[in-house]
């Protein structure tokens, strides 16, 4: 959410940013919110004038009473009563206007970084760099569910009976591999100086609207019926919410956090839910990284965060590339965003496994996350990035480490988390 003062002083910059995001339907909102802002400030000014007049008049009542000027005192009391009536209506109008202004401000996009590439949708995202050689072996790479089934490691049919499409049972070595990857990712981030958290898996609506856009909320979040609670779509939501209405000394910056959670998503939209697969599903688990820092440090941390993901995937011998999100694919709260994509030898293309985002002061403004410095309090910057999100990450792992005989090699860093196992062997071998 932008500062209304910034919109007031820079309406053309705000409109140009909207155009670059191909959201022309929001252009009228800028003029509308500025008209409301003028009305709101006029009412506030009038209210301040009335309160000053009321205070001055109220001080004269005692003097009139002391002089036994009862009629004069009653006239002043009557005038104060009229002022109170007008103030009551003014304050109600201010409250309504303030709410309407906030509603509009919540949907006007954050100002993007200057170097964000301009494009209409994800088809125009820009590849930045590749890490590792994307290999296509001489032997066939089966569909990821077929690989899992060869280890008797997944049961989708039972999950459809208990829960519907978009759910799964993992079992045996595949379930163990899933947990091993999460544990490895946790320790990988701890070794890089991040503090480990397990956060609440449900959050209140106040936090939901503070950390994401309405469109994301509608397409992602599951609401708990009869309660002001939502299931989290990522632990970033509850981790950022932890700092709501806080003021932290700037000398304590940065806060570098890594959090584990299950994640729940409706996945409404063009992609839909796979009937047979675990790429896009309603429930998964994720290790996340979150940073709260001073504004001048946020781009440095942005680069560090996505590099952490690259380093982790390369440590497991999975080729990846970085892809910068263009303006039309950038969520409204984000200043800049980058996807880390893993190589799929079966499809012979890359697919998303991590999403790194710099949200500037958008979440901090919505939630009141401030820092205290020598010159007073100011808004923090917030960033987040995926460490790993199995079972999607399992797709990249199984495809890239599958051997010709159907076994799956376990890279050395992961072996301690798999009880020393160096490979997974098919159940029919």
């Amino acid at each position: 959410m932008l500062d209304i003062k910034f919109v007031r002083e820079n309406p053309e910059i705000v409109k140009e940013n909207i155009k670059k995001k191909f959201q022309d339907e929001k252009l009228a909102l800028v003029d509308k919110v500025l008209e409301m802002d003028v009305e709101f400030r006029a009412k506030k000014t009038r209210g301040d004038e009335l309160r000053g007049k009321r205070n001055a008049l109220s001080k004269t009542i005692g003097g009139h009473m002391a002089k036994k000027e009862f009629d004069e005192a009653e006239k002043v009391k009557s005038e104060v009563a009229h002022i109170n009536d007008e103030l009551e209506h003014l304050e109600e109008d201010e409250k309504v206007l303030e709410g309407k202004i906030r509603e509009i401000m919540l949907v006007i996009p954050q100002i993007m970084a200057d170097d964000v590439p301009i494009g209409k949708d994800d088809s125009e995202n820009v590849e930045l760099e590749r890490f590792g050689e994307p290999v296509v072996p001489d032997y066939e790479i089966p569909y990821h569910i077929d690989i899992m089934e060869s280890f008797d490691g997944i049961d989708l049919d039972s999950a459809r009976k208990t829960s519907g499409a978009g759910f799964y049972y993992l079992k045996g070595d595949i379930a163990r591999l899933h947990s091993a990857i999460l544990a490895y990712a946790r320790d990988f981030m701890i070794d890089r100086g991040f503090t480990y958290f397990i956060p609440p898996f449900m959050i209140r609506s106040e936090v939901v609207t503070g950390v994401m856009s309405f469109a994301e909320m509608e397409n992602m979040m599951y609401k708990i019926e009869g309660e002001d609670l939502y299931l989290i779509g990522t632990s970033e939501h509850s981790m950022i919410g932890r700092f709501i209405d806080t003021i932290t000394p700037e000398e304590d910056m940065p806060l570098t956090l890594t959090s584990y959670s299950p994640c729940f998503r409706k996945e409404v939209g063009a992609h839909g839910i796979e009937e047979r697969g675990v790429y896009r599903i309603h429930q998964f688990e994720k290790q996340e990284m979150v940073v709260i820092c001073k504004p001048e440090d946020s781009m440095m941390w942005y680069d560090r965060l996505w590099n952490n993901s690259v380093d982790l995937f390369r440590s497991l011998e999975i080729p990846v590339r970085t892809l910068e999100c263009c303006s039309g694919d950038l969520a409204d709260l984000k200043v800049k965003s980058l996807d880390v994509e893993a190589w799929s030898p079966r499809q012979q293309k890359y697919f998303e496994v991590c999403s790194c985002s710099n949200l500037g002061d958008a979440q901090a403004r919505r939630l009141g996350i401030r820092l205290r410095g020598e010159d007073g309090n100011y808004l923090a910057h917030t960033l987040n990035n995926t460490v790993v999100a199995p079972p999607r990450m399992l797709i990249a792992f199984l495809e890239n480490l599958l051997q010709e005989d159907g076994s799956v090699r376990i890279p050395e860093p992961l072996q301690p988390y798999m009880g020393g196992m160096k490979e997974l062997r098919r159940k029919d071998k």
Side-chain angles (χ1 to χ4, degrees):
M1 187 168 71
L2 297 175
D3 185 348
I4 186 64
K5 182 181 178 183
F6 179 86
V7 180
R8 191 185 303 142
E9 296 174 353
N10 304 279
E12 294 310 313
I13 291 176
V14 176
K15 289 180 180 180
E16 183 61 25
N17 188 69
I18 290 172
K19 291 176 185 177
K20 288 179 178 178
K21 292 178 71 67
F22 301 92
Q23 297 182 9
D24 286 13
E25 71 280 2
K26 294 183 179 179
L27 288 171
L29 294 178
V30 179
D31 293 329
K32 185 176 180 180
V33 80
L34 289 176
E35 289 173 9
M36 289 181 175
D37 178 55
V38 169
E39 185 180 356
F40 174 78
R41 286 187 293 141
K43 288 183 181 294
K44 193 168 183 61
T45 299
R46 174 61 178 163
D48 291 342
E49 290 171 353
L50 289 173
R51 290 182 196 95
K53 186 177 180 181
R54 181 182 61 185
N55 292 341
L57 287 170
S58 297
K59 290 176 182 178
T60 68
I61 294 173
H64 288 306
M65 294 297 289
K67 295 176 183 178
K68 300 186 183 301
E69 297 172 348
F70 301 120
D71 288 343
E72 292 299 320
E74 288 303 317
K75 286 179 183 178
V76 175
K77 287 180 183 179
S78 177
E79 192 172 353
V80 168
H82 284 304
I83 289 174
N84 285 335
D85 288 341
E86 185 177 351
L87 272 173
E88 185 178 343
H89 288 103
L90 271 174
E91 288 167 357
E92 183 59 35
D93 289 346
E94 284 179 36
K95 186 177 178 181
V96 171
L97 274 171
E98 192 173 31
K100 289 180 178 179
I101 289 170
R102 180 175 172 81
E103 283 181 13
I104 294 175
M105 293 298 291
L106 285 172
V107 297
I108 292 177
Q110 172 75 297
I111 302 297
M112 301 178 292
D114 292 337
D115 59 350
V116 170
I118 306 303
K120 288 188 175 181
D121 54 39
D122 59 2
S123 67
E124 298 187 68
N125 290 345
V126 178
E127 180 178 311
L128 298 178
E129 192 173 357
R130 296 188 178 192
F131 304 85
E133 187 66 29
V135 175
V136 178
D138 296 334
Y139 48 89
E140 179 186 0
I141 303 293
Y143 187 58
H144 65 269
I145 293 300
D146 296 327
I147 299 175
M148 292 181 182
E149 287 178 343
S150 74
F151 297 100
D152 191 25
I154 191 166
D155 182 355
L156 292 174
D157 292 337
S158 296
R160 274 191 286 270
K161 293 175 186 176
T162 62
S163 311
F167 297 92
Y168 53 89
Y169 286 95
L170 297 182
K171 56 180 180 174
D173 287 342
I174 296 297
R176 187 177 190 181
L177 178 63
H178 174 280
S179 297
I181 287 170
L182 283 167
Y184 173 63
R186 174 201 64 206
D187 291 351
F188 187 93
M189 294 310 301
I190 291 172
D191 288 345
R192 295 205 166 188
F194 283 61
T195 302
Y196 180 53
F197 278 81
I198 298 177
F201 303 153
M202 300 180 194
I203 53 176
R204 292 174 173 168
S205 58
E206 179 186 11
V207 178
V208 176
T209 56
V211 296
M212 63 197 307
S213 69
F214 287 125
E216 290 175 305
M217 175 179 169
E218 182 64 27
N219 292 336
M220 179 191 296
M221 305 294 287
Y222 283 105
K223 175 79 167 64
I224 306 300
E225 188 174 352
E227 297 188 48
D228 181 28
L229 285 173
Y230 290 79
L231 292 173
I232 61 172
T234 167
S235 61
E236 168 223 336
H237 297 159
S238 46
M239 290 302 295
I240 295 296
R242 178 173 180 260
F243 299 95
I244 187 170
D245 293 327
T246 57
I247 301 174
T248 306
E250 64 179 6
E251 56 265 28
D252 292 346
M253 293 293 107
L255 302 177
T256 55
L257 320 167
T258 183
S259 50
Y260 160 82
S261 78
C263 305
F264 307 92
R265 301 191 181 185
K266 290 193 293 188
E267 290 291 7
V268 174
H271 299 291
I273 293 295
E274 294 181 273
E275 282 294 320
R276 186 174 180 271
V278 293
Y279 181 79
R280 195 171 296 281
I281 45 187
H282 289 308
Q283 170 194 312
F284 58 96
E285 290 170 78
K286 183 163 66 151
Q287 190 71 31
E288 184 82 359
M289 47 184 125
V290 170
V291 168
I292 298 175
C293 66
K294 295 189 288 187
E296 61 266 29
D297 294 336
S298 67
M299 290 312 302
M300 176 270 290
W301 277 106
Y302 174 79
D303 288 334
R304 284 196 185 184
L305 292 189
W306 67 255
N307 271 291
N308 286 337
S309 292
V310 169
D311 291 348
L312 183 139
F313 274 80
R314 293 302 299 130
S315 75
L316 297 178
E317 303 176 30
I318 299 172
V320 293
R321 71 171 181 174
T322 52
L323 199 68
E324 181 157 20
C325 296
C326 70
S327 58
D329 191 39
L330 195 65
D332 283 352
L333 270 71
K334 297 179 181 180
V335 172
K336 195 174 175 69
S337 187
L338 172 150
D339 291 339
V340 176
E341 297 191 330
W343 173 247
S344 167
R346 186 186 75 84
Q347 300 181 78
Q348 298 182 34
K349 66 177 186 179
Y350 290 88
F351 66 93
E352 181 191 334
V353 287
C354 301
S355 181
C356 181
S357 300
N358 184 338
L359 295 107
D361 62 10
Q363 293 176 328
R365 187 179 305 281
R366 291 180 175 207
L367 294 174
I369 303 172
R370 291 164 292 173
L371 307 181
R372 184 171 61 248
E374 289 183 2
D375 298 324
N377 300 333
Y378 59 97
L379 294 173
H381 276 202
T382 63
L383 304 95
N384 65 80
N385 184 28
T386 316
V387 186
V388 290
R392 179 182 293 191
M393 193 272 189
L394 290 179
I395 301 172
F397 187 95
L398 294 171
E399 286 192 11
N400 282 281
L401 294 160
L402 183 72
Q403 306 301 294
E404 188 170 8
D405 64 357
S407 64
V408 170
R409 187 166 52 82
I410 308 297
E412 188 174 341
L414 199 61
Q415 291 173 15
Y417 298 90
M418 291 292 292
M421 293 173 62
K422 296 183 178 180
E423 64 177 10
L424 301 183
R425 302 295 303 179
R426 290 172 50 152
K427 295 302 180 183
D428 57 353
K429 290 290 182 180

